Amino acid sequence: MPEQIEIRRLAPTDIQEQLDALAGVLADCVAGGASVSYLAPFSHEEARGAFKSFAAEVEQGRRLLLVAFSDGELVGTVQVILALPPNQPHRAEIAKLLVHRSARKRGIAQLLMEGAEAEARAEGKTLLVLDAVTGDDAERLYARLGWTRVGVIPNYALYPDGRLCDTTYFWKAL
Ligand SMILES: CC(C)(COP(=O)(O)OP(=O)(O)OC[C@H]1O[C@@H](n2cnc3c(N)ncnc32)[C@H](O)[C@@H]1OP(=O)(O)O)[C@@H](O)C(=O)NCCC(=O)NCCS
């Protein structure tokens, strides 16, 4: 049977129900060395805490959270940050695109990004911005999906093990 992938936008109560699965994806990405805000060691409990605070922002209408299910199992997620200053009502930011290492290279991140862009458009957003570690897998993905590369900021953040990494900024008009 071919893999069934479903992309879904989660309501705050659904996020609470999926907290362990979401935390599992985030903790796996950090354990795999992804620079996505957190440093090692990063526990499952800390990852649950991160998604609890994202759920609060979804509840307040400040963020959207989408997930990918593969044959019913939650394997990926992405967020759209809607809450920006009053003079940027048309803009949103993409954050925390995460796919569990066991589910990579099957097009799940691409489907999540297409879903996030569609949801942002439905919210009336016409400009998206994001940043990615320079040279990592995500950078190729964004370029392939039609995002425009702005430039590189050297030594912008740390990998989980404390090494510095550069960041590339991208934008996309919807
Ligand atoms: C970046 C990330 C989200 C990509 O997730 P993914 O689901 O593997 O992404 P995709 O499958 O859409 O694309 C990845 C690659 O698989 C390829 N691919 C897609 N479907 C495929 C298939 N059916 N068979 C073979 N390869 C496939 C894509 O062409 C792409 O190739 P490339 O790496 O040479 O460009 C994932 O690696 C991740 O979670 N990384 C850690 C967290 C992170 O860095 N997030 C980004 C924050 S900015």
Side-chain angles (χ1 to χ4, degrees), residues 100-112:
H100 195 282
R101 282 177 290 178
S102 64
R104 289 190 189 161
K105 300 205 180 291
R106 297 183 342 215
I108 291 172
Q110 176 165 344
L111 291 172
L112 281 165

Side-chain angles (χ1 to χ4, degrees), residues 22-34 42 47 99-104:
L22 287 161
V25 171
L26 174 57
D28 177 73
C29 287
V30 176
F42 184 66
V99 174
H100 195 282
R101 282 177 290 178
S102 64
R104 289 190 189 161

Side-chain angles (χ1 to χ4, degrees), residues 21-58:
L22 287 161
V25 171
L26 174 57
D28 177 73
C29 287
V30 176
S35 173
V36 286
S37 302
Y38 309 102
L39 292 175
F42 184 66
S43 68
H44 186 82
E45 261 325 293
E46 287 173 294
R48 274 179 65 96
F51 274 100
K52 275 186 190 164
S53 62
F54 299 143
E57 290 211 27
V58 172

Side-chain angles (χ1 to χ4, degrees), residues 97 104-106 109-110 113 117 130-149 159 168-170 172:
L97 173 66
R104 289 190 189 161
K105 300 205 180 291
R106 297 183 342 215
Q110 176 165 344
M113 286 300 294
E117 290 176 24
L130 63 76
D131 64 86
V133 173
T134 309
D136 269 10
D137 291 346
E139 197 186 0
R140 282 194 305 283
L141 174 77
Y142 301 136
R144 194 168 62 244
L145 296 181
W147 287 70
T148 301
R149 194 182 268 107
Y159 285 111
T168 302
Y169 267 82
F170 288 88
K172 185 171 186 176

